[in-house]
Amino acid sequence: MRATAAPYAAMVMDARTGEVLHSRNADTQLHPASLTKMMTLYVAFQAIERGEITLDTPVRISRLAASEPPSKLGLRSGQTIRLRFLLRAAAVKSANDAATAIGEAISGSEDAFATRMNRTARAMGMRNTNFRNAHGLTQSGHLSTARDMSVLGRHVIYDFPQYYNLFSRRSADAGVARVRHTNRRWLDSYAGGDGIKTGYTRAAGFNLVASAQRGQERVIATVFGGSSTSARNARITELMDMGFNRAPSRATIRRPNPPAAMLTSSNSQGQVNPGKIVRVSGLITRSIRPTARPVAAPVQEDVLVAAVDADVINAAIADSVNAALTEALNAPTPAPAPTQVIAATPPTVTPIARPATETQVAALVPEATVVDTGPEVVTRISTSGGRHWGVNVGRYNTRYDAERVLLRVALNEMSTLDGSLRRVVQRSGGFDANFMGLTREGADLACRRLQARGTTCFMIGSDG
């Protein structure tokens, strides 16, 4: 399939900072086609976060939604399906019937949902975009630009990292069918590629907003007006390569400011979406410091830790942590019964008082008493009980580089990553550095804290 000479536009952006690395006709209003669904999904993520709707809310399919032209999931009027399946169908298959159903479920009608989409776009700074529907099929006045779609893609990545994995799934269960990704060829061919959204209509040509991460670098590239799928993919690859060549290897992440939810109308049951309201009763006039935890005796660990360089810490503990990591990675999966270590009754040992600071550096404090507590067993952490989430902190060229980053991140973020399993997973494009065995809340908190420190991170694991 080839498109008749649709106007061309492109933009390349450093996702970490929002810096524009390349642009051409980036502010020309063009037909976005199914790139529109990025905003449809973004508003849905907002609504879920605010408690307006849940992933398991049953959605009744209207006659309008069922009548949308392909690409579609094949939903029937009057049918009921959970919202999570509609999200998957819209993100992976680019299903038009699913997109319309999402809009109606949240705002009550397609027009009301389009109004909410436009208000959200304005709040993001998308100044040259106007939405008329939730799916992106050609309609008078339904226009956007390469710049605005790049901005939207950046918000999707950083505002909702817990849902971003939807855009890289090669296939997904959409309830009534298993759907395949519309951009799986490019995702499989480009190292680090993990999203985001394709779009095609005769008027628009072949559009794509793509993103890829390599190490600490993340680039977003947008193309409007490709003449075919293969031509579009070839151009987006050239733009991505240009972006990685021009982007600095290290940059402080400047997360975009998430827009407030723009409520517009009633839901499908005719009730006003209440959302969540926070009322501020007054201004904070002073900051109260918490009372320090009492300690038995003064300790000097704070001074020692402050004086030790991070490289010294890494050198001191790298061998022991690497050994534990290797043993954990190579250990067989444990039986369902909990692991127990049975040993002879050890002699009574007087407990050592816990130091005032939670930061402990082994082998750097000569006064500390070392107590032999017998053999230590390192096992693979259980993922039961809701601890089936994880976080990815980058893809690297070698296993050594990935393990080194895991060690550094674990030292810098001990509080939220405590108890997680460091895991290096080999992919076609390199070695993924992951922390596994976290709850959803724990993974989200860890990612937000790491991103605040300038470390690229996104959540992985749950079936969403």
Side-chain angles (χ1 to χ4, degrees):
M1 182 183 297
R2 299 187 66 85
T4 57
Y8 172 81
M11 171 160 277
V12 182
M13 177 184 292
D14 187 332
R16 301 166 297 178
T17 62
E19 179 187 359
V20 175
L21 304 175
H22 167 80
S23 68
R24 182 174 176 185
N25 301 326
D27 295 311
T28 301
Q29 285 189 311
L30 300 171
H31 297 287
S34 285
L35 301 186
T36 300
K37 294 185 179 77
M38 287 194 297
M39 181 60 82
T40 301
L41 291 161
Y42 185 95
V43 173
F45 299 155
Q46 269 193 335
I48 295 168
E49 184 177 62
R50 287 176 52 86
E52 300 171 53
I53 197 168
T54 73
L55 287 170
D56 292 315
T57 295
V59 177
R60 188 175 180 83
I61 304 304
S62 69
R63 183 175 300 176
L64 174 64
S67 66
E68 297 291 5
S71 173
K72 61 192 301 182
L73 189 56
L75 300 171
R76 303 184 308 276
S77 177
Q79 178 181 358
T80 299
I81 185 171
R82 286 190 292 168
L83 178 68
R84 69 170 67 243
F85 296 133
L86 295 175
L87 298 178
R88 294 173 187 171
V92 177
K93 183 177 173 59
S94 196
N96 296 322
D97 49 359
T100 297
I102 290 169
E104 292 177 333
I106 293 172
S107 295
S109 71
E110 185 175 48
D111 288 342
F113 188 72
T115 298
R116 179 165 176 172
M117 293 169 72
N118 286 323
R119 291 180 179 176
T120 304
R122 298 295 178 272
M124 288 182 180
M126 298 169 62
R127 291 185 290 271
N128 294 308
T129 293
N130 184 62
F131 295 114
R132 301 293 300 276
N133 57 58
H135 43 66
L137 293 172
T138 304
Q139 186 173 344
S140 177
H142 188 98
L143 299 169
S144 187
T145 68
R147 184 186 305 276
D148 284 357
M149 283 294 153
S150 299
V151 169
L152 175 56
R154 186 167 182 251
H155 274 278
V156 169
I157 292 170
Y158 287 109
D159 294 355
F160 294 103
Q162 66 271 39
Y163 298 119
Y164 182 63
N165 71 86
L166 276 173
F167 299 96
S168 62
R169 298 185 186 184
R170 305 313 194 265
S171 65
D173 176 11
V176 298
R178 188 156 194 90
V179 294
R180 302 179 69 188
H181 203 295
T182 58
N183 197 33
R184 58 188 179 276
R185 291 182 182 176
W186 185 82
L187 290 173
D188 288 339
S189 66
Y190 196 80
D194 56 13
I196 308 175
K197 190 70 193 72
T198 61
Y200 168 78
T201 62
R202 188 180 299 274
F206 292 82
N207 299 347
L208 175 60
V209 177
S211 182
Q213 178 173 324
R214 293 179 177 177
Q216 300 299 312
E217 301 174 34
R218 178 175 282 281
V219 172
I220 295 172
T222 299
V223 166
F224 276 61
S227 59
S228 66
T229 299
S230 59
R232 176 199 67 194
N233 290 354
R235 182 56 180 157
I236 209 76
T237 295
E238 293 174 358
L239 293 173
M240 275 289 180
D241 289 344
M242 176 196 302
F244 281 112
N245 286 333
R246 293 183 179 181
S249 58
R250 292 187 176 275
T252 300
I253 295 177
R254 297 197 294 269
R255 296 165 57 88
N257 294 321
M262 304 293 175
L263 302 184
T264 57
S265 184
S266 60
N267 59 24
S268 57
Q269 283 72 41
Q271 300 171 333
V272 175
N273 292 320
K276 298 177 181 177
I277 300 176
V278 178
R279 301 188 185 278
V280 180
S281 58
L283 297 177
I284 298 174
T285 58
R286 64 192 181 96
S287 177
I288 303 175
R289 290 182 177 274
T291 304
R293 179 186 295 180
V295 295
V299 291
Q300 299 299 320
E301 281 79 357
D302 286 343
V303 177
L304 289 175
V305 172
V308 176
D309 186 83
D311 292 336
V312 177
I313 296 176
N314 289 339
I317 71 169
D319 291 339
S320 59
V321 176
N322 271 325
L325 175 61
T326 302
E327 184 177 351
L329 291 174
N330 294 331
T333 302
T339 303
Q340 297 182 347
V341 178
I342 302 175
T345 303
T348 302
V349 179
T350 302
I352 298 175
R354 183 177 183 179
T357 177
E358 293 185 6
T359 306
Q360 302 176 12
V361 183
L364 295 181
V365 185
E367 295 84 355
T369 302
V370 179
V371 179
D372 184 5
T373 59
E376 179 182 0
V377 177
V378 180
T379 60
R380 198 179 296 269
I381 190 166
S382 170
T383 57
S384 63
R387 299 180 69 88
H388 49 273
W389 288 79
V391 297
N392 174 283
V393 292
R395 178 171 292 175
Y396 302 91
N397 294 329
T398 67
R399 180 178 294 274
Y400 172 78
D401 289 340
E403 291 175 348
R404 184 178 177 184
V405 170
L406 285 172
L407 290 172
R408 176 178 58 80
V409 172
L411 287 171
N412 291 336
E413 193 55 46
M414 296 175 66
S415 58
T416 55
L417 294 175
D418 183 37
S420 63
L421 173 64
R422 303 174 188 86
R423 179 177 296 169
V424 177
V425 180
Q426 185 172 2
R427 305 288 189 191
S428 59
F431 294 85
D432 283 0
N434 301 333
F435 289 91
M436 302 302 299
L438 297 167
T439 63
R440 174 181 172 179
E441 294 76 12
D444 180 57
L445 175 60
C447 254
R448 290 185 182 276
R449 287 173 61 97
L450 289 170
Q451 289 168 350
R453 294 169 182 244
T455 299
T456 300
C457 176
F458 62 87
M459 293 171 57
I460 57 176
S462 175
D463 191 33

